[in-house]
Amino acid sequence: MVEADKPTVVAAPGRLVAAVAVAGAIVLFLAVGLTGLYRYVDSYWLYRGFPPPRDPTFVRQEGTFQTIQVRSAAIGGRAQRVVVYLPPGYDRNAQQRYPVLYLLHGFPGDPDGFVRTVRVGVVEDTLLAESKIQPLIIVMPMGSTGVFTDEEWANGIHPHSGWETFLARDVVGAIDARYRTIAGGAGRALGGLSEGGYASLNIGLHHPAEFRVLESWSGYEKAENVKSIFGGRPELLVRNSPLLTLPKAASRLRREHAFVWFYAGSTDRLLRQNARFAAELTRFRIRHAFFVSDGGHTWRIWRDNAWAAIEVAAAHLAHG
């Protein structure tokens, strides 16, 4: 049996146009949606949910940011990005020398968190406009091979993993050579957030003559047993635990008139460890200030306390 040919259905021109329009609208909707999602995620990563940094309207003079590269044999000859904030008037006051606050990022992280989320430039510009501090340079190095690479800012067991040496010797040396700094411990503060806070204490206790002020923002005082860095070696874990190295460093810290400023959030799991370190500082008669800030281990707490952190550094450092 032979079937008759089936009739061919031809869409009316109006329907075809409508179908194409609907399809185009769907594609456009998806594209706009994906673009919006990307922008949201990108913005959140850049600013952690906060608005972009902007000086208040009453601030008449703004500092400037520069990015330099520091090459270091301690990390295999790598050139690392270092972000530098120069306070308002740096270029005009050619004879003035400035103290330096070094800030170390956490993990995962990079220097941009201090610029975009903590807003160190806005904070210092504002404090200067309100005549609450004298100016200082802020230096923010990149302390790992990538945002998601953990180095603990420590001298690790593998070749070319001397991140403490990179900071304490090569970054400090490069900044003193390039900028008008007060080149000495009396003109340097070392701070950081989370892992960077731990590192500031760890490096500071190893180099008590190099940094007058040590700041830890939600840091810790006992080394994390990261096998790729410390290899599980007890002697390295002890040497890189400020809570355990403090007794040996105490007399030198007192002689150098060191000041330790640190805090932890009220719901931070690291609170107890920080309170114990504060008790040890008291026992060894090291000048310090420890407080508990409302909150957890978050960008909000670091952003809110950045004002006090910069004021403290400026108040305890020598000025030119």
Side-chain angles (χ1 to χ4, degrees):
M1 179 177 175
V2 179
E3 294 185 359
D5 290 340
K6 294 181 179 179
T8 301
V9 179
V10 179
R15 291 182 181 178
L16 184 59
V17 170
V20 171
V22 170
I26 292 173
V27 170
L28 180 62
F29 175 79
L30 290 174
V32 171
L34 290 173
T35 300
L37 178 62
Y38 168 79
R39 287 177 177 169
Y40 174 81
V41 172
D42 184 57
S43 178
Y44 191 87
W45 171 251
L46 291 178
Y47 307 111
R48 273 69 176 189
F50 298 100
R54 184 174 292 109
D55 278 353
T57 55
F58 67 82
V59 173
R60 300 303 180 195
Q61 296 185 74
E62 300 180 4
T64 57
F65 285 96
Q66 295 183 354
T67 298
I68 65 172
Q69 300 288 323
V70 175
R71 192 173 298 277
S72 171
I75 51 175
R78 289 179 58 90
Q80 290 290 105
R81 181 168 67 101
V82 178
V83 180
V84 180
Y85 164 88
L86 299 174
Y90 178 88
D91 290 337
R92 296 191 303 274
N93 303 323
Q95 303 305 314
Q96 185 171 354
R97 292 193 168 271
Y98 297 82
V100 182
L101 168 60
Y102 292 86
L103 291 177
L104 310 182
H105 62 76
F107 169 76
D110 60 24
D112 299 327
F114 288 113
V115 177
R116 296 168 175 160
T117 306
V118 177
R119 306 175 303 161
V120 293
V122 170
V123 172
E124 180 160 350
D125 289 350
T126 304
L127 291 173
L128 288 169
E130 295 173 336
S131 300
K132 291 183 177 179
I133 64 169
Q134 294 188 62
L136 70 164
I137 296 169
I138 303 177
V139 175
M140 297 149 281
M142 181 68 183
S144 65
T145 58
V147 171
F148 297 99
T149 304
D150 189 6
E151 304 288 358
E152 297 282 313
W153 293 93
N155 286 343
I157 59 173
H158 297 295
H160 312 313
S161 61
W163 293 96
E164 174 182 326
T165 302
F166 159 70
L167 182 280
R169 183 189 69 192
D170 298 323
V171 173
V172 169
I175 295 301
D176 284 344
R178 186 180 185 115
Y179 299 101
R180 299 193 311 277
T181 66
I182 296 174
R188 298 190 195 110
L190 180 61
L193 59 84
S194 191
E195 180 179 289
Y198 151 76
S200 71
L201 298 176
N202 190 41
I203 296 172
L205 265 61
H206 291 169
H207 303 269
E210 299 304 315
F211 303 97
R212 169 70 55 82
V213 179
L214 304 178
E215 295 189 354
S216 176
W217 312 357
S218 308
Y220 44 96
E221 291 80 28
K222 292 190 73 174
E224 299 279 358
N225 190 9
V226 183
K227 295 293 178 64
S228 62
I229 300 171
F230 302 118
R233 299 178 186 176
E235 70 279 8
L236 286 182
L237 292 171
V238 169
R239 186 181 185 279
N240 289 282
S241 294
L243 192 59
L244 304 178
T245 58
L246 180 62
K248 289 185 177 180
S251 61
R252 188 69 184 277
L253 291 170
R254 289 194 299 269
R255 190 159 63 249
E256 299 294 340
H257 306 289
F259 180 72
V260 183
W261 184 89
F262 64 119
Y263 65 85
S266 56
T267 60
D268 194 328
R269 66 179 180 84
L270 299 169
L271 175 57
R272 179 176 294 184
Q273 194 174 128
N274 278 269
R276 185 180 169 192
F277 188 65
E280 289 295 282
L281 289 170
T282 299
R283 183 162 78 96
F284 287 103
R285 295 177 286 111
I286 308 299
R287 295 190 309 152
H288 69 281
F290 168 66
F291 64 96
V292 179
S293 188
D294 186 32
H297 200 84
T298 65
W299 285 99
R300 168 65 69 185
I301 202 171
W302 303 324
R303 180 182 168 102
D304 288 350
N305 285 294
W307 302 85
I310 291 177
E311 282 192 81
V312 164
H316 287 83
L317 293 178
H319 291 266

